[in-house]
Amino acid sequence: MGDYQVAGVQQDALGAVQLELGGNPNALALRRPFDPLAHDLEASFRLTRFADLKGRGCKVPQEVLNKLVEGLQQDYNTAADHEHAHFMHLAIPRIGIGLDCSVTPVRHGGLCLVQTTDFFYPLVDDPYMMGKIACANVLSDLYAMGVTECDNMLMLLGVSTKMTEKERDVVIPLIMRGFKDSALEAGTTVTGGQTVVNPWCTIGGVATTVCQPNEYIVPDNAVVGDVLVLTKPLGTQVAVNAHQWLDQPERWNRIKLVVSEEDVRKAYHRAMDSMARLNRIASRLMHKYNAHGATDVTGFGLLGHAQTLASHQKNEVSFVIHNLPVIAKMAAVAKACGNMFQLLQGHSAETSGGLLICLPREQAAAYCKDIEKQEGYQAWIIGIVEKGNRTARIIDKPRVIEVPAKE
């Protein structure tokens, strides 16, 4: 993995990293579902236990983040006035504050540096799949800007102080292998990173590309009459939580009237598969079908990200969402939990979700057909762009599309 930096890590915590660098003794188990017993761990081992935040949220509230971003933007505008003369010869704007990536003009050759970073806590119990999901999630921000090639990745890893030495030596190499395999699938490599010890396990990274200005799509060109396309189903958070509740009778009793154990296991595996899937083909097709902009749907839910995308539009438009594709049975689970997830209101967090794309009306059906042909997975037209004041909303009774429609 190249020059892997390690800062502030106790010597024994390096063992897991060195295991991975020297070859993975767990390689045979990588493609099978993770079984703690097969690795001499306790049957009760759960990776998600190392994300226990004692009731604290994993995300800064969106309204707080928006204020912080506004402050950054003001600082940037002041600095930009001073730098204007230096960059006048470049026909490339600095963009990115509040968007999925930062895009910075480099000093030579009319090229741009496109960068993004993200990390989060374990949300599935299979360490290999967790690594794949984390990598796909980092890359998704590039793909949302229409950037399909990644030149380099770094891995950011927090090893939980609560893990035993045995747990660490099994789990960390598997997470790293999943991350690296996903990077290879994306046509890129992990050349470095940072590992620290931490109360909670965290996994994420940095993705960097140097590209021509025509390789990215600034997400600000939606026009009245465009339609909104979503490339992955919603409901990942509901599916992951429902799966954890199989071990918690008091929680399971709330939802067992609307869903079976088998339904929950299927939904969980569909969610894992969806979260680990790259948005690369979706991004490539944005160019082919003349997308006017996109974002990826992650921690602030469908509506939160739709509102952010709408707020950045040059034209006076608003987004209206009518259809919600949801992993099968998860809308019923969300409803049985009262208003806990707010799935149908668009506030349920997603991880490594799909791209939400503004497409010309006449191109959208062809886009959906093309992506299904190439990937074997559906995309959906979920809403429209109308004249408005750069807001987004979901209609009162949206149509829920069960994914898949039937077994």
Side-chain angles (χ1 to χ4, degrees), residues 159-294:
V159 181
S160 175
T161 51
K162 297 188 180 80
M163 283 183 177
T164 66
E165 191 173 339
K166 175 67 177 172
E167 287 170 342
R168 189 191 66 226
D169 289 352
V170 167
V171 165
I172 299 304
L174 287 168
I175 291 175
M176 294 172 76
R177 180 60 59 95
F179 193 99
K180 287 168 67 179
D181 282 356
S182 182
L184 287 172
E185 187 186 336
T188 189
T189 51
V190 181
T191 62
Q194 185 131 357
T195 302
V196 296
V197 287
N198 199 44
W200 313 287
C201 186
T202 60
I203 173 70
V206 181
T208 303
T209 295
V210 178
C211 68
Q212 304 276 359
N214 65 350
E215 291 180 69
Y216 65 83
I217 298 170
V218 182
D220 62 0
N221 284 305
V223 298
V224 174
D226 279 355
V227 297
L228 303 172
V229 166
L230 183 65
T231 66
K232 288 184 185 179
L234 306 168
T236 56
Q237 184 190 45
V238 183
V240 162
N241 277 270
H243 187 259
Q244 290 175 12
W245 294 346
L246 291 174
D247 295 334
Q248 301 171 31
E250 73 285 358
R251 297 272 201 168
W252 175 245
N253 289 338
R254 289 175 64 184
I255 63 172
K256 67 182 183 182
L257 295 177
V258 299
V259 72
S260 69
E261 283 195 32
E262 180 64 15
D263 289 333
V264 167
R265 293 188 201 283
K266 278 185 179 175
Y268 176 68
H269 284 100
R270 283 179 181 132
M272 273 205 297
D273 174 67
S274 178
M275 292 186 289
R277 201 166 84 240
L278 298 176
N279 282 325
R280 195 180 186 195
I281 291 172
S283 179
R284 190 176 292 137
L285 292 176
M286 282 166 56
H287 293 271
K288 181 176 178 181
Y289 293 98
N290 303 307
H292 291 151

Side-chain angles (χ1 to χ4, degrees), residues 64-141:
V64 175
L65 192 60
N66 287 341
K67 285 196 174 115
L68 293 170
V69 164
E70 280 169 24
L72 272 177
Q73 187 70 59
Q74 286 165 5
D75 292 345
Y76 158 69
N77 288 339
T78 304
D81 290 340
H82 297 301
E83 273 191 28
H84 181 65
H86 178 64
F87 283 106
M88 267 180 65
H89 66 288
L90 293 170
I92 308 165
R94 282 183 176 228
I95 60 173
I97 294 178
L99 300 180
D100 290 306
C101 294
S102 69
V103 181
T104 309
V106 297
R107 289 185 297 275
H108 311 290
L111 297 171
C112 309
L113 181 70
V114 183
Q115 284 186 307
T116 184
T117 184
D118 205 349
F119 72 89
F120 49 65
Y121 310 90
L123 72 160
V124 299
D125 286 311
D126 185 320
Y128 177 76
M129 288 302 292
M130 192 60 244
K132 288 196 77 171
I133 290 164
C135 186
N137 189 62
V138 173
L139 287 164
S140 187
D141 285 335

